[in-house]
Amino acid sequence: MIFLLIMTPYRIEAGFVEIINRNKTLFRNGVKVYSEDLYIEALRGSETSNYLELLDSVYVKSKETQIIANRLYYYTPYKKLFAKGDIKIWRKDTIKGDSLVYDRESDTGEMFGNLIYISDSIIIRGNSANFSRDIVRVKGRPRFNSPGMIILSDSIIYFTEDSTFLFFSNVQFEGSEIKGSSEILEHSTNKKHSTLFDSPYIFQALDSITGIRIDIDHRDKTLSALDGIAINYTEEGRNKVEGDTVKVYYNEKSIDSVVVLQGAQGRFIKDETGIEESR
């Protein structure tokens, strides 16, 4: 049996309908909801004067956003969706979590609990995130994983249009042969370029680099440190080079060469052969 409800801003089709009272109606055996720029389907649900509740295998299509969840509440006066349980949202990328608040009109939302953001080969895990068409903000000391690199920070902002990540506060990163820290890290996956601000520090085996700003070109494998200091340990002792701009050419495992462009100073300390992995 198909039931059509036409006195609301949406239309419902269901296999079975039970009217409990004037304020509540139950739907079973498959439910489909049609509204402007919105389509919802689920196995069962109910309707009151304030909201529509959908349960079990819930699927939502709103504009360019698709959502699946275990439970969904649609508050029609506010055009807001509240979802719970094993939620997955996808456009070009995917967001997963435990609960969701989504505004249909602005096409924005916030996800809470066990958050996972997936974009190509990049995975970010955190506590919560709010998102719009062009920006995703992840909070709760998120962990960024990409091939060859792990980054931790207090929060992350991702600009989807140009694939740029901003990592804020207490940033720590680690690759196969490199570690480091800063307060702000900007990384562009399209340009293959990273910039570290506010007390940046990088160390790799027996080499370390500091400065007030460090730019890394991942394509050319070059690193430029403004007001930079490069320290290298050898079997004989420690080399320290500093200048207005310290340019470093590196490979995956070590520094190939260091060039100081202005204000060069150098010092060698014999028999000092250890390196500390923290400042």
Side-chain angles (χ1 to χ4, degrees), residues 94-272:
T94 300
I95 307 175
K96 298 180 180 180
D98 294 336
S99 60
L100 167 71
V101 179
Y102 174 70
D103 188 299
R104 286 185 54 211
E105 203 156 50
S106 62
D107 198 20
T108 62
E110 188 162 6
M111 185 82 83
F112 303 91
N114 297 309
L115 180 120
I116 302 175
Y117 179 81
I118 302 170
S119 178
D120 297 326
S121 59
I122 292 170
I123 298 175
I124 300 174
R125 299 179 184 270
N127 290 337
S128 64
N130 50 31
F131 60 89
S132 62
R133 180 187 298 271
D134 302 319
I135 298 175
V136 179
R137 295 178 175 87
V138 185
K139 296 166 282 187
R141 194 63 183 164
R143 180 185 179 93
F144 171 99
N145 284 77
S146 69
M149 185 62 68
I150 297 172
I151 305 174
L152 293 171
S153 63
D154 288 347
S155 63
I156 300 173
I157 297 179
Y158 176 47
F159 300 90
T160 59
E161 187 68 24
D162 59 2
S163 297
T164 297
F165 292 88
L166 284 177
F167 302 84
F168 290 99
S169 187
N170 194 20
V171 181
Q172 298 175 336
F173 54 89
E174 181 176 350
S176 58
E177 301 289 341
I178 189 172
K179 295 181 180 181
S181 63
S182 66
E183 283 301 303
I184 301 174
L185 167 60
E186 177 181 325
H187 175 66
S188 171
T189 57
N190 288 344
K191 297 178 181 179
K192 306 295 183 185
H193 184 274
S194 299
T195 303
L196 289 75
F197 303 92
D198 197 353
S199 303
Y201 175 63
I202 297 174
F203 63 87
Q204 184 181 49
L206 298 177
D207 304 300
S208 68
I209 302 154
T210 62
I212 61 173
R213 166 177 168 158
I214 297 176
D215 287 279
I216 305 171
D217 189 320
H218 301 284
R219 287 195 180 101
D220 295 340
K221 296 193 181 302
T222 60
L223 180 154
S224 296
L226 184 64
D227 283 352
I229 300 173
I231 297 176
N232 169 253
Y233 287 85
T234 68
E235 294 180 358
E236 290 77 26
R238 183 183 75 163
N239 285 306
K240 180 179 179 181
V241 177
E242 57 186 300
D244 295 349
T245 301
V246 175
K247 190 165 187 177
V248 177
Y249 298 85
Y250 66 92
N251 57 43
E252 295 300 326
K253 295 186 177 180
S254 63
I255 290 175
D256 289 335
S257 60
V258 177
V259 177
V260 181
L261 301 183
Q262 287 182 325
Q265 298 182 49
R267 185 181 179 189
F268 175 75
I269 302 176
K270 187 175 176 59
D271 296 329
E272 187 173 330

Side-chain angles (χ1 to χ4, degrees), residues 23-70:
N23 296 319
K24 189 169 185 178
T25 303
L26 300 181
F27 306 97
R28 295 196 295 272
N29 299 342
V31 185
K32 294 182 180 180
V33 181
Y34 301 88
S35 183
E36 183 181 1
D37 297 325
L38 178 69
Y39 170 76
I40 307 174
E41 63 180 42
L43 295 182
R44 59 192 179 95
S46 64
E47 183 190 37
T48 70
S49 58
N50 296 320
Y51 63 84
L52 181 66
E53 179 185 20
L54 287 309
L55 302 167
D56 300 335
S57 302
V58 181
Y59 169 79
V60 181
K61 176 72 169 67
S62 177
K63 299 180 180 179
E64 298 178 5
T65 300
Q66 298 179 72
I67 304 168
I68 59 173
N70 295 334

